């Protein structure tokens, strides 16, 4: 039994991406879910499943009430921050494939910039009475609380181990911003950067410059998942879910997995990648576009290695050779990624994968048939391979 | 926005670690079966899964495995720049600490360090400072 090809993404919807949405997170959720359902050629009464992140502030039942979704037979949430993104689609696909629901919408909506920003010390987070509270006690008191600092520690070890440089990180930011520059929906539309500007940007946490760190955004994205069979009868070309996987690695923590053997690696993404290749039966060379989670540039290089697009420590050479350009061997984040388009916890990247497969992306990669998408890195994570029908 | 530096919460499995620090002792759980120290403290030895653990005092010596100099602190309670490091103890376990009592730009991967204690509120935080290498 396999999940491969059983379900598809039939609709995508999003709000505008901004720094201050001026409205509630629930309204953002309702808007993006509504838009996705409309894009799928369906109505709220067709929806019988909802799935989101545990971090999302909008309960499934609140979204259902808001849109007049009458009954839900499936609802689920995935933990671990941005690592949930692709897993929401996996959950939806499993629900559809097993007959638990017919139409499941995965959504994420937040005011991450204008509302509760990540990366500021929350005394509640440090003192929660659960295992995450215990873990935080060994990090927060030392002033390790921003996502940037947690990544910087791994990035420094990566530089030390493989002889990469800050400029190698910067090349990821330059590519993302180049793609965002021609995407009217991107926050950084019309604002490409140079490697020199990356190098000159201020330190946030060494070796991370400001321009190694993704922006913070307000907005919402939703994805409609239904059976491949039903999707074929809907208006838009389906994006078949060819592979969907979650992964957690040895000695896993949330952003602070410093206590396992190899510090310069993301083994949880290796767990995801292994499943994606097995489920899909595809080779690396079959992937036409990679939408890799890019909250911080170093983890893009490390993902290329974990997914097997290049050898361990060789991502710097892969990137220097121009592989990530739209006409390169592995076009990266044609929408501009989270560094360039918006930080919607990885969900906007899945929407971009669907547009690439439909052939409607603003920076379209010609003939894109297979797109690999990953979710948050440094945390238990997830990934997808989507395929044009 | 937090203006006082966060203090650790004492949980059942971790309280002895923080209580020892208040007394200026660096204590970690050690397995009575395989004799290995581990960190963070937990109920099972992570190497042999034995539950017969004791609290003992490792040397407090280690090296910087990796580090970052933080320029944008998470709250006004922290004054930038400061150094966060993953310390690998001589006995094997790793832990998070600030490297203190030195200029941030002198810290490197491999810098030898020694434990020191930073009082904070009612508790104390085990931190590390650079250690002069003693010739062997």
């Amino acid at each position: 039994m396999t999940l491969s090809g059983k379900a598809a993404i039939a609709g995508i919807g999003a709000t505008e991406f901004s720094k201050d949405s001026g409205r509630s997170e629930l309204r953002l959720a309702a808007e993006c879910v509504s838009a996705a359902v409309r894009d799928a050629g369906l109505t709220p009464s067709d929806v019988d499943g909802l799935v989101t992140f545990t971090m999302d502030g909008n309960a499934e039942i609140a979204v259902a009430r808001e849109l007049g979704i009458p009954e839900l037979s499936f609802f689920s949430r995935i933990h671990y921050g941005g690592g949930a993104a692709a897993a929401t689609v996996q959950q939806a696909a499993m629900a559809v494939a097993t007959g638990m629901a017919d139409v499941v919408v995965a959504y994420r909506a937040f005011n991450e910039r204008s509302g509760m920003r990540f990366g500021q010390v929350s005394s509640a987070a440090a003192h929660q009475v659960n295992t995450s509270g215990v873990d935080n006690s060994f990090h927060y008191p030392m002033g390790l609380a921003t996502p940037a600092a947690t990544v910087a520690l791994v990035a420094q070890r990566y530089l030390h181990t493989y002889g990469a440089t800050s400029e190698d990180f910067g090349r990821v930011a330059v590519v993302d911003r180049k793609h965002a520059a021609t995407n009217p929906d991107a926050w950084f539309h019309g604002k490409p950067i140079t490697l020199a500007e990356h190098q000159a940007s201020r330190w946030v946490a060494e070796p991370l410059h400001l321009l190694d760190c993704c922006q913070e955004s307000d907005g919402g994205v939703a994805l409609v998942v239904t059976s491949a069979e039903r999707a074929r009868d809907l208006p838009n070309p389906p994006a078949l879910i060819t592979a969907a996987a979650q992964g957690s690695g040895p000695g896993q923590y949330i952003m602070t997995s410093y206590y396992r053997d190899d510090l310069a690696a993301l083994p949880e993404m290796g767990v995801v990648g292994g499943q994606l290749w097995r489920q899909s039966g595809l080779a690396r060379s079959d992937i036409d576009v990679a939408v890799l989670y890019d909250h911080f540039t170093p983890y893009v290089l490390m993902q290329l290695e974990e997914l097997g697009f290049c050898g361990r420590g060789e991502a710097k050479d892969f990137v220097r050779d121009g592989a990530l350009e739209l006409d390169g061997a592995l076009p990266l984040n044609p929408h501009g990624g989270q560094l360039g388009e918006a930080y919607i916890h990885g969900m906007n990247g899945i929407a971009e994968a669907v547009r690439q497969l439909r052939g409607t992306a603003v920076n379209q990669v010609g003939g894109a048939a297979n797109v690999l998408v990953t979710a948050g890195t440094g945390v238990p994570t997830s990934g997808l391979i989507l395929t044009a029908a | 926005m937090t203006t006082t530096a966060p203090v650790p919460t004492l949980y059942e499995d971790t309280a002895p670690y923080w209580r020892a620090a208040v007394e200026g002792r660096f204590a970690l759980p050690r397995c009575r079966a395989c004799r290995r120290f581990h960190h963070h403290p937990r109920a099972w030895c992570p190497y042999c899964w034995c539950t017969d653990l004791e609290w003992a005092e490792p040397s407090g010596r280690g090296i910087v495995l990796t580090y970052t100099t933080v320029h944008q602190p998470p709250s006004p309670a922290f004054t930038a720049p400061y150094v966060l490091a993953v310390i690998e103890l001589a006995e094997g376990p790793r832990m998070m600490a600030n490297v203190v009592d030195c200029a941030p730009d002198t810290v490197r991967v491999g810098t030898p360090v020694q434990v020191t204690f930073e009082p904070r509120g009612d508790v104390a935080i085990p931190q590390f400072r650079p250690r002069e290498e003693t010739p062997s």
Side-chain angles (χ1 to χ4, degrees), chain A residues 194-217:
Chain A
T194 64
L195 196 54
E197 287 168 329
H198 168 273
Q199 289 292 295
S201 67
R202 65 181 164 82
W203 293 121
V204 172
E206 295 179 47
L208 298 187
H209 291 276
L210 177 67
L211 292 177
D212 287 306
C213 308
C214 81
Q215 56 186 319
E216 297 178 285
S217 308

Side-chain angles (χ1 to χ4, degrees), chain A residues 121 126-128 133-134 137-138 140-143 152-153 156-157 160 202-206 253 258 260-261 263, chain B residues 2 6-7 9 11 17-18 39-41 65-69 71-72 74 78 82 84 86 94 96 98 109 120:
Chain A
V121 169
H127 298 295
Q128 53 190 314
V134 175
S137 274
F138 289 105
Y140 273 48
M142 298 81 191
L153 285 153
Q156 184 73 262
R157 186 70 194 180
H160 175 83
R202 65 181 164 82
W203 293 121
V204 172
E206 295 179 47
Y253 285 74
Y258 307 132
R260 56 193 180 191
D261 290 344
L263 252 177
Chain B
T2 310
V7 294
T9 305
Y11 298 89
Y17 174 81
W18 300 109
H39 196 22
H40 309 144
L65 197 66
T66 189
Y67 67 98
T68 177
T69 302
H71 292 266
Q72 188 172 317
F78 296 93
Y82 61 91
L84 283 164
V86 178
R94 296 177 187 172
M96 174 61 50
N98 298 127
V109 171
R120 188 177 299 176

Side-chain angles (χ1 to χ4, degrees), chain B residues 6-87:
Chain B
V7 294
T9 305
L10 275 57
Y11 298 89
E12 201 170 4
D13 294 336
T14 64
Y17 174 81
W18 300 109
R19 293 208 182 97
V22 172
E23 297 165 7
R25 290 186 302 110
F26 183 55
L28 289 179
R30 184 170 62 187
C31 175
R32 284 198 172 96
C34 75
R35 307 302 296 163
R36 291 179 71 173
F37 283 98
H38 73 261
H39 196 22
H40 309 144
R42 45 169 137 178
W44 278 267
C45 168
Y47 307 107
C48 74
W49 312 107
C50 173
T51 55
D52 188 11
L53 305 175
E54 62 185 351
W55 286 85
E57 296 182 24
S59 65
R61 286 199 290 272
I63 58 151
V64 171
L65 197 66
T66 189
Y67 67 98
T68 177
T69 302
V70 177
H71 292 266
Q72 188 172 317
S75 90
F78 296 93
T79 305
Y82 61 91
V83 177
L84 283 164
V86 178
I87 306 298

